[in-house]
Amino acid sequence: MTGVRLKDVAEQAGVSMKTVSNVVKGRSNVSEATRQRVLRTIDELGYRPNASARHLRTGRSGIIALAVPELDAPYFAELAAAVIAAARARGCTVLIEDTGGDPSEELRIASGLSQPLIDGVLLSPLGLDQAALASRPGRIPLVLLGERDYDVAADHVLIDNVAAAREATGHLLAVGRRRVAAIGVQRGPASATAHQRMRGYQEALFAAGVPFDPSLSVEVAAYRRADGARAMESLLALQNPPDAVFCFNDLLATGAVRAVVDRGQSVPRDVAVVGFDDVSETRYSVPSLTTIAPDKEQLARLAVDALLSRLENGDQSPSTVLRADYRLVVRESSGAVTH
């Protein structure tokens, strides 16, 4: 159906045009039952607000930008889908950009992409430094995603990576493993994720009274399957190889599992493996992967809500750090030691 108007939605849902407008704008003065009825009608009719008309009328287009460093990475693809769903529920459209971790591209996006119809930006930065971000031209509302810590005027949505990594490593120790390796070490200011997950890994070892062995911590160039496989091969070549490995994301874990199998060994019998991100493929791999599962839907909702709150209430309130939930999902790859 084309040319659907707000009036058409109101008539079919049996509500006023004002009610439909309130639902589209995400306002709370509508009962949940009515809100759901209006949202169902919007989906059925295919109603989409006219961005240009709305921009002329309100100064807002309803278009927000999401920028991630690797859209082809499963975690970011799933996060993007969650952001689109959260934005749609608030009557917004999402423009997605893949930065490749390029600092200049991240700065361009953080500054509004030179697009006058962009209301605000959700940015997961990788290479952008704080000085450049703090001096960005323009002041389009900005919400940061991920672990990099910036002291700038922007809300920040993340999970507690240190606690999550501590729990993942603690799980391997709790099932009887004692030579627990870590795959995913990285250096430099753009490696906040690696630093935090490494800290959690070390804290779990300390709490269990297990000495930290530097030879069991492997640095990687990127968080891809091939990097995980190469890192695992180097660990298996040690005179005293690990009996478990905590990988800093699921792609590294997938590669690590492959390396173990190619060596003629078994996961989890010989090496238990835990990943991080709970991307969909981990539920169907053989063995299925134990992993940390960030609540991507909650993370997306917090980010979209924070951005729209800035737009609706002005951008003058202090910046806030919002933490999304996570959980350890135990599957086949971390089975207990058998004797």
Side-chain angles (χ1 to χ4, degrees):
M1 184 174 182
T2 60
V4 179
R5 302 167 299 171
L6 186 143
K7 180 181 179 181
D8 300 322
V9 176
E11 288 177 353
Q12 180 152 323
V15 298
S16 68
M17 291 175 61
K18 180 65 174 177
T19 297
V20 176
S21 178
N22 286 338
V23 171
V24 168
K25 293 176 181 177
R27 291 175 178 164
S28 59
N29 57 339
V30 180
S31 72
E32 183 60 22
T34 299
R35 189 176 74 86
Q36 291 299 330
R37 185 165 75 252
V38 170
L39 289 174
R40 283 195 301 270
T41 304
I42 287 172
D43 286 340
E44 290 168 4
L45 296 182
Y47 170 70
R48 293 293 179 268
N50 185 300
S52 296
R54 176 160 59 179
H55 187 64
L56 289 172
R57 186 175 64 253
T58 67
R60 289 175 51 193
S61 66
I63 300 174
I64 62 177
L66 167 67
V68 297
E70 297 175 298
L71 190 55
D72 63 340
Y75 172 78
F76 288 115
E78 293 179 10
L79 177 62
V83 168
I84 290 169
R88 182 179 293 134
R90 296 294 303 270
C92 293
T93 299
V94 181
L95 173 66
I96 299 176
E97 291 276 334
D98 185 331
T99 67
D102 181 345
S104 62
E105 185 66 8
E106 290 176 344
L107 181 60
R108 182 182 74 87
I109 292 165
S111 304
L113 300 88
S114 303
Q115 293 283 343
L117 286 181
I118 298 295
D119 288 335
V121 175
L122 307 177
L123 172 65
S124 179
L126 184 62
L128 186 60
D129 65 41
Q130 177 164 307
L133 183 59
S135 62
R136 65 190 172 109
R139 279 295 178 264
I140 189 169
L142 174 69
V143 173
L144 300 172
L145 307 174
E147 290 69 50
R148 288 210 62 182
D149 186 16
Y150 293 95
D151 184 17
V152 296
D155 295 321
H156 194 170
V157 181
L158 68 165
I159 70 165
D160 189 334
N161 272 268
V162 176
R166 188 168 58 240
E167 185 170 347
T169 308
H171 167 69
L172 290 168
L173 295 164
V175 298
R177 310 294 170 139
R178 280 299 174 267
R179 283 190 60 76
V180 181
I183 293 178
V185 177
Q186 290 186 323
R187 316 292 178 186
S191 305
T193 296
H195 296 325
Q196 293 175 17
R197 293 178 190 177
M198 187 63 180
R199 177 181 160 194
Y201 161 77
Q202 292 178 310
E203 287 181 0
L205 294 177
F206 179 79
V210 175
F212 170 66
D213 182 349
S215 71
L216 294 179
S217 301
V218 185
E219 187 169 350
V220 296
Y223 278 18
R224 298 288 186 164
R225 297 172 185 87
D227 300 280
R230 283 191 292 269
M232 192 72 237
E233 288 165 2
S234 71
L235 288 167
L236 293 173
L238 293 174
Q239 185 173 2
N240 188 9
D243 59 4
V245 58
F246 166 47
C247 298
F248 290 5
N249 84 342
D250 289 340
L251 296 187
L252 292 172
T254 301
V257 170
R258 182 71 202 193
V260 172
V261 173
D262 285 349
R263 187 71 175 260
Q265 298 183 354
S266 171
V267 174
R269 185 191 65 213
D270 299 302
V271 182
V273 179
V274 172
F276 203 116
D277 287 341
D278 192 34
V279 300
S280 59
E281 69 183 75
T282 62
R283 299 159 215 169
Y284 304 101
S285 60
V286 180
S288 57
L289 184 66
T290 295
T291 184
I292 293 291
D295 189 333
K296 301 181 191 77
E297 288 73 24
Q298 183 191 32
L299 195 155
R301 191 167 57 250
L302 287 171
V304 170
D305 287 351
L307 188 61
L308 295 185
S309 177
R310 292 275 173 182
L311 290 167
E312 292 167 3
N313 302 316
D315 202 25
Q316 304 304 314
S317 58
S319 300
T320 58
V321 174
L322 304 167
R323 295 189 185 276
D325 298 327
Y326 72 88
R327 62 192 178 96
L328 174 70
V329 180
V330 178
R331 300 193 182 105
E332 297 165 342
S333 69
S334 63
V337 174
T338 57
H339 298 285

